[in-house]
Amino acid sequence: MIIFKKVVDIQQYIKNKVDEGAQIGFVPTMGALHEGHISLICKAKQEARVVVTSIFVNPTQFNDKEDFEKYPVSIEQDMAMLIDADCDVLFIPSVSEMYPNGTDNMPAYDFGYLETVLEGTQRPGHFKGVGQVVARLLDIVNPHYLYMGQKDYQQCMVVGNLLKQLNSSIRMVICPTERDDDGLAMSSRNRRLTEPQRAIAGLLYQCLVSIQAKKDDGSFDIVKKECEDLLKAKGFNTEYISLADAETLELLNEYNNNRKMVALIAAKIGVIRLIDNLLLN
Ligand code: PAF
């Protein structure tokens, strides 16, 4: 695996590869890698791409200072995992390499409705930061394919919207969420859970499964209340349990099997914030 820290160097390498006829697959990450990330790399490898992974903990997408400061960093372990997964290129830029003129003069993208619901409401400014960093990374790497995880469902929609705004021909491939045995969606933040917190974290997925189970003959309101009560009793602080149109993220009050639906959940256990989602039909 070749490691680049400088924009000019990775750009030259990618240009040479593309001139040789290679297709570039890109997996942007913030490090603290887990099997979810590795599944994206494997998918890209299966499709015979030259795989570029970036590790950059982007300061502009954190609306919570503590979340940024405590974001897990494990670069040595990450590199070992990337080598095992046969990743071709790792890009680890510094903040000044990514934002040489600061962030104030970077283009700011408007994601409209997507910024006003769910993660957009709970994490003001988050998607502006995601848009900014993903646009910059895509400009540097200029891949043919971009691999993203379904775990961050709303982020995938935001990035899809970004690609449209950029008039980009990059194809986004959304890969299924990887889960631990109890259903907990793999996430870098899971490492920060204490043992007792980890023992109950799988309940978020169980809530999504019970929402799915009731979709044909149940009431969303009732199952949502049951999930809220269960999570509260176990000590979670639930931010939202929502049902939405899977294509537009329009929030739905009730099940509607004529539409493609997704259930989305966000809750804190102690200071750790977890999100998850499940396509229902
Ligand atoms: O999902 C993430 O890890 C980040 O939001 C991303 C897409 C790498 C941008 O910093």
Side-chain angles (χ1 to χ4, degrees):
M1 182 173 74
I2 310 178
I3 300 175
F4 293 105
K5 293 186 174 176
K6 297 282 173 211
V7 170
V8 283
D9 296 337
I10 189 168
Q11 282 183 321
Q12 187 58 57
Y13 174 89
I14 288 174
K15 184 181 177 310
N16 292 345
K17 283 283 167 198
V18 171
D19 287 350
E20 287 165 17
Q23 294 266 303
I24 309 297
F26 179 43
V27 181
T29 82
M30 298 204 297
L33 301 182
H34 49 71
E35 285 309 314
H37 296 114
I38 298 304
S39 73
L40 306 183
I41 292 163
C42 291
K43 174 83 175 140
K45 288 300 289 187
Q46 274 164 18
E47 293 176 345
R49 318 281 173 233
V50 169
V51 179
V52 178
T53 299
S54 62
I55 295 182
F56 178 65
V57 185
N58 173 38
T60 72
Q61 71 185 74
F62 286 85
N63 56 315
D64 173 348
K65 197 164 169 263
E66 186 182 336
D67 189 28
F68 175 57
E69 284 166 358
K70 299 240 168 91
Y71 199 83
V73 175
S74 54
I75 194 71
E76 298 299 323
Q77 196 186 323
D78 291 352
M79 287 200 284
M81 286 173 78
L82 290 171
I83 290 167
D84 264 6
D86 206 15
C87 176
D88 300 290
V89 175
L90 171 60
F91 180 47
I92 346 178
S94 62
V95 172
S96 58
E97 195 64 19
M98 283 295 285
Y99 303 123
N101 303 317
T103 48
D104 292 349
N105 298 325
M106 299 281 293
Y109 298 92
D110 182 354
F111 300 110
Y113 171 74
L114 287 176
E115 284 181 87
T116 66
V117 286
L118 307 171
E119 292 302 285
T121 318
Q122 298 297 329
R123 303 185 67 190
H126 168 64
F127 288 129
K128 283 267 179 288
V130 169
Q132 201 171 49
V133 75
V134 173
R136 173 78 175 129
L137 286 166
L138 294 179
D139 188 47
I140 296 167
V141 177
N142 196 14
H144 300 87
Y145 292 83
L146 170 66
Y147 293 85
M148 308 281 298
Q150 191 203 309
K151 152 129 192 313
D152 295 298
Y153 194 88
Q154 195 170 356
Q155 171 170 274
C156 289
M157 293 188 74
V158 163
V159 172
N161 182 300
L162 175 72
L163 293 176
K164 278 199 190 121
Q165 291 188 46
L166 295 172
N167 226 342
S168 169
S169 60
I170 299 168
R171 288 196 40 203
M172 179 165 63
V173 181
I174 299 175
C175 301
T177 304
E178 292 291 315
R179 300 183 178 281
D180 285 344
D181 289 346
D182 64 348
L184 176 65
M186 291 192 185
S187 162
S188 304
R189 288 183 178 86
N190 295 355
R191 301 185 185 190
R192 295 185 58 208
L193 295 170
T194 62
E195 225 172 271
Q197 289 171 341
R198 175 63 195 83
I200 56 165
L203 278 178
L204 290 190
Y205 179 63
Q206 285 174 31
C207 286
L208 293 172
V209 170
S210 55
I211 292 170
Q212 185 179 45
K214 304 275 169 59
K215 76 179 169 56
D216 293 321
D217 48 13
S219 147
F220 175 64
D221 255 359
I222 294 175
V223 67
K224 174 178 167 168
K225 176 84 175 58
E226 286 166 1
C227 292
E228 281 169 350
D229 291 348
L230 172 71
L231 292 175
K232 192 167 178 203
K234 296 287 179 184
F236 287 80
N237 180 2
T238 303
E239 289 185 2
Y240 59 78
I241 298 176
S242 298
L243 182 66
D245 181 299
E247 268 142 28
T248 61
L249 220 60
E250 178 192 335
L251 299 179
L252 305 173
N253 293 326
E254 253 325 322
Y255 292 118
N256 179 348
N257 280 303
N258 294 324
R259 299 170 84 158
K260 202 173 157 203
M261 293 181 287
V262 59
L264 306 107
I265 193 164
K268 274 187 170 169
I269 316 182
V271 294
I272 314 301
R273 185 172 186 276
L274 301 174
I275 61 170
D276 200 356
N277 66 80
L278 193 64
L279 286 165
L280 302 192
N281 49 355

